[in-house]
Amino acid sequence: MKLEVNGLSFAYGQRPVIDDLHFVVRQGEFVSLIGPSGSGKSTLFYMLGGLHCPQAGEILLDGQRINGERGHLAYMPQQPSLMPWRTILDNVRLAQELSGHKDPTQLTNLLRGAGLAEVADRYPHELSGGMQQRVAFIRALASNRDLLCLDEPFGSLDALTRTRMQTWLLRLLEQEKRTILFITHSIEEAILLSDRILVLSASPMKVIREVPVPFARGQARYERRGTKEWLALQRELETMLLG
Amino acid sequence: MMKNSKALAPFGMILLLLAGWELTVRTKQVEAWLLPAPSAVYEAWTASVDRTLEHLGATVWIALSGLGFGLVSGLLLATLFHLSPLLRAMFQPLVVLSQNVPMIALAPLLIMWLGFGTMPKILVVAIACFFPIAVSTMDGFRQTDHTLLIYMEMAGATRWQRFSKLEWPSALPAFFSGLKLAATYSVMGAVIAEWLGAKEGLGVMMQLASASFRTDRVFLAMFFIAGVSLLLYAAICLIERLVVRWRPQVKGGAPR
C-alpha cells in the first residue's frame, strides 16, 4: 500500500482551499496532519474518499489514480457516526456489508481485541462517547481497507477519556498493522501516535514542513512524554504552526 | 404505583365524563332526541347488536383497505420522489392539489365514475391517507444525519445501500408519525364516503338515524367511530414500539 498525493488543488468557488499539495504515505505508517482549524483537512479527506474531485493534481493508491473514486479507504469522523438502530455488532458489520466481504470470525475477534465483546448486543446510545468512538474505529478496521483516514477521532472527548483512547489505540495498533492518516489539533497527540507529522498552513492548505517523530513507536512512547526531547519537539511544532 | 395510575388515567377520565353526562341528562331532564344519556345509547346498542356490527364491519373494511392502499402508495411516492428529484419536481404540485379538492366534492364524482361498490369509498380513504404518509416519510428521508451520510459515501456505499441501510431506517419514526395521522383520517374518510352514498356502514347508520331523530343511534355510531380510531392508533403505536426499538426510552413525563 502506498498513497501518493501529487500537486493536489481544490477550491470552493473562488476561494482556494488546497493548493499544490504533495505528500506520500507508505505501508504501515502513521502520518498525522496538523494545522489551523478550517485549513481544509476534512476537505482533503473528502477528496481522498472520492466525495470531491480535485481541480488539479492526482491521488495515487498503489500507483492507481483514484481521483473521484469512492470506497478505497476506511474513514472515521469526529462526530459519533454509529447507526442508532443497529447494535454494536451490527454497526461493525456494516463496514463488511458495504465492502462486500463477510467474515463473522473477524468481527468477533476485532470486538474481543478491542474489549468490546461484552457490549456487542447493546445499542450505541447505551455506550459512553469514548466507547462509541472505539466502535467506530473497529468498524473502520473491519472494512479491510489498507488505508484508514481518521478525522480528529478523539476531538469531542474529554481530556481523560482522550488519554485513555490514545493508549488503547497504541495497544491495538501493535496487533493490527494498518496504515493511518490522522487529522488532529493536538500537537501532543500527534507526537504520541505518529511516525511522521505533516505541518500544514491554512487557506490555501500546503505542507509547511514534514517532521519525523524520533521516538520508538508503541506504548513505550507514552513514557517519553515530558522529557526534554519531547518538549523541544512540541515547541518546534508550535512555533511552526504559530508562525 | 405511579406507572399504574398513569396508565389508568385516561380510562378514569372517560368514566368520569360519562358519569357527569348521565347525571346531567337525568337531573335536567334533557329530551332524548336532543341528547340521549349514555345508558340510552347502551340500550340502542343492545336493541340492534347484529345490524350495528354489520355497519361496523363495513366501515372497518373500507377504512383498513383504504389505509392499506394509502400506505403502499404513500411509501412508494415518498421513495420515488426522494430518489428522483426530477419526478418530485414534476409531480409534487399534483400531489398537493389532490389534497385541495374537498372530499365532499370528490366522493360523489368517484361514485359516479366507479359505481356504488366499495371501490370508490376505498379510493376516497386512500386519497386522504397517502398524503400524510408520503409527506412525513419524505421529511424523514431528508432529515437523515449528515455525518452518517458522509460516512456512507466515504465507505463507498451504492445509492441503494445508502437508501436501504441509512435513509430508510432513519425515516422510520417520521413514517410512523404520518401513519398515525393517516389512521385517524382513514376512519373519518370511510364514514364521509359512506355518508355520500352507500348501503351499509356507520356513515349510513348515522345518516338514517339522524333523519329519523334517533339521536341515540347517532351517538352509538359516533362511539364506534371513536373506538375504531383509537384502536387503530393504539395498534400503530404498538407496532412502532416493536419496530423502532433503538430509541432511548425517555423517562418521566417528557414528550417522546
Side-chain angles (χ1 to χ4, degrees):
Chain A
M1 211 292 309
K2 188 182 181 192
L3 174 77
E4 287 169 85
V5 171
N6 287 331
L8 210 61
S9 297
F10 185 78
Y12 282 119
Q14 290 298 310
R15 192 170 62 90
V17 181
I18 296 170
D19 183 38
D20 196 27
L21 187 75
H22 290 266
F23 67 87
V24 176
V25 182
R26 282 170 284 271
Q27 174 75 42
E29 265 191 317
F30 193 122
V31 176
S32 287
L33 301 171
I34 193 163
S37 10
S39 59
K41 300 184 293 281
S42 296
T43 309
L44 170 67
F45 271 18
Y46 295 161
M47 264 195 288
L48 296 179
L51 263 59
H52 298 331
C53 241
Q55 273 129 10
E58 54 184 4
I59 305 161
L60 300 176
L61 192 69
D62 291 324
Q64 289 248 2
R65 190 183 152 103
I66 58 159
N67 287 21
E69 286 180 23
R70 295 180 184 180
H72 287 290
L73 47 84
Y75 167 71
M76 173 182 173
Q78 174 187 348
Q79 302 86 358
S81 59
L82 302 177
M83 299 194 166
W85 52 86
R86 282 175 174 246
T87 62
I88 298 311
L89 178 65
D90 286 339
N91 260 295
V92 179
R93 184 181 288 132
L94 176 70
Q96 291 194 345
E97 288 170 17
L98 294 179
S99 60
H101 76 102
K102 306 257 154 88
D103 185 355
T105 37
Q106 187 209 16
L107 288 184
T108 39
N109 286 342
L110 275 174
L111 284 171
R112 197 180 304 133
L116 292 166
E118 290 83 49
V119 296
D121 295 324
R122 302 263 196 92
Y123 285 96
H125 73 263
E126 299 174 285
L127 267 56
S128 67
M131 289 289 258
Q132 289 187 27
Q133 286 305 75
R134 287 184 198 208
V135 178
F137 181 73
I138 291 301
R139 181 179 62 182
L141 289 180
S143 67
N144 275 12
R145 309 284 187 216
D146 289 328
L147 180 64
L148 266 59
C149 288
L150 314 183
D151 190 348
E152 280 196 75
F154 311 142
S156 57
L157 302 175
D158 62 273
L160 205 65
T161 314
R162 194 175 179 136
T163 312
R164 282 211 192 95
M165 290 293 287
Q166 288 160 350
T167 44
W168 174 82
L169 185 64
L170 282 175
R171 200 179 60 237
L172 201 70
L173 285 175
E174 283 171 9
Q175 305 153 14
E176 296 276 339
K177 301 272 179 266
R178 301 294 174 117
T179 310
I180 293 179
L181 199 54
F182 190 89
I183 292 178
T184 179
H185 277 127
S186 156
I187 295 174
E188 177 147 39
E189 187 168 82
I191 301 177
L192 183 66
L193 296 172
S194 32
D195 301 314
R196 275 190 296 136
I197 300 172
L198 301 179
V199 183
L200 304 167
S201 65
S203 54
M205 187 170 98
K206 274 185 160 178
V207 179
I208 306 178
R209 273 273 286 285
E210 189 181 316
V211 183
V213 179
F215 310 115
R217 197 167 140 187
Q219 279 178 279
R221 191 186 286 187
Y222 197 71
E223 308 303 320
R224 303 291 296 269
R225 283 187 321 162
T227 58
K228 220 177 184 179
E229 303 97 306
W230 184 290
L231 292 176
L233 181 59
Q234 199 168 339
R235 181 146 326 148
E236 191 191 339
L237 288 166
E238 240 168 50
T239 323
M240 269 183 240
L241 281 168
L242 289 171
Chain B
M1 187 60 203
M2 264 305 284
K3 207 179 162 189
N4 278 341
S5 64
K6 220 168 111 189
L8 290 176
F11 299 104
M13 192 61 214
I14 287 173
L15 276 180
L16 208 69
L17 275 175
L18 286 177
W21 176 0
E22 180 82 37
L23 209 73
T24 317
V25 170
R26 280 178 189 232
T27 50
K28 303 274 181 197
Q29 292 183 329
V30 181
E31 296 283 357
W33 58 269
L34 259 179
L35 179 66
S39 59
V41 177
Y42 180 74
E43 272 163 34
W45 158 242
T46 50
S48 62
V49 175
D50 290 348
R51 193 72 196 110
T52 308
L53 283 182
E54 271 171 43
H55 286 309
L56 176 69
T59 302
V60 167
W61 167 245
I62 289 173
L64 282 184
S65 15
L67 182 62
F69 274 114
L71 174 73
V72 172
S73 50
L75 275 183
L76 213 65
L77 203 74
T79 308
L80 285 177
F81 277 14
H82 180 67
L83 294 180
S84 160
L86 179 68
L87 274 183
R88 182 164 70 216
M90 281 164 70
F91 288 103
Q92 195 152 30
L94 287 179
V95 170
V96 177
L97 214 64
S98 78
Q99 300 302 302
N100 292 340
V101 182
M103 212 188 267
I104 304 280
L106 193 66
L109 276 179
L110 286 171
I111 289 168
M112 261 159 52
W113 294 333
L114 299 169
F116 275 92
T118 45
M119 204 52 214
K121 296 171 197 78
I122 291 176
L123 256 174
V124 166
V125 176
I127 289 171
C129 287
F130 90 96
F131 192 71
I133 294 176
V135 169
S136 42
T137 310
M138 270 192 286
D139 274 347
F141 288 148
R142 269 200 295 270
Q143 279 160 17
T144 306
D145 187 285
H146 186 68
T147 312
L148 288 175
L149 271 176
I150 295 223
Y151 167 77
M152 289 295 275
E153 296 194 13
M154 292 286 275
T158 61
R159 184 67 189 93
W160 177 247
Q161 284 174 327
R162 210 167 86 204
F163 178 75
S164 62
K165 291 179 195 294
L166 173 59
E167 287 165 333
W168 168 240
S170 58
L172 265 179
F175 158 73
F176 273 106
S177 311
L179 184 58
K180 282 181 219 166
L181 275 180
T184 44
Y185 289 177
S186 73
V187 184
M188 218 154 62
V191 171
I192 291 177
E194 286 165 355
W195 191 288
L196 295 168
K199 293 185 208 72
E200 53 177 1
L202 293 175
V204 177
M205 178 175 153
M206 276 172 93
Q207 200 182 14
L208 292 178
S210 68
S212 54
F213 292 96
R214 285 294 305 273
T215 317
D216 51 345
R217 286 177 57 77
V218 175
F219 271 94
L220 182 60
M222 270 163 46
F223 280 153
F224 272 108
I225 292 166
V228 171
S229 299
L230 275 177
L231 272 180
L232 251 180
Y233 192 87
I236 291 167
C237 287
L238 189 74
I239 297 172
E240 181 184 18
R241 212 182 266 188
L242 291 176
V243 175
V244 189
R245 265 202 291 217
W246 68 82
R247 268 201 294 195
Q249 295 288 316
V250 178
K251 294 188 181 78
R256 279 196 49 171

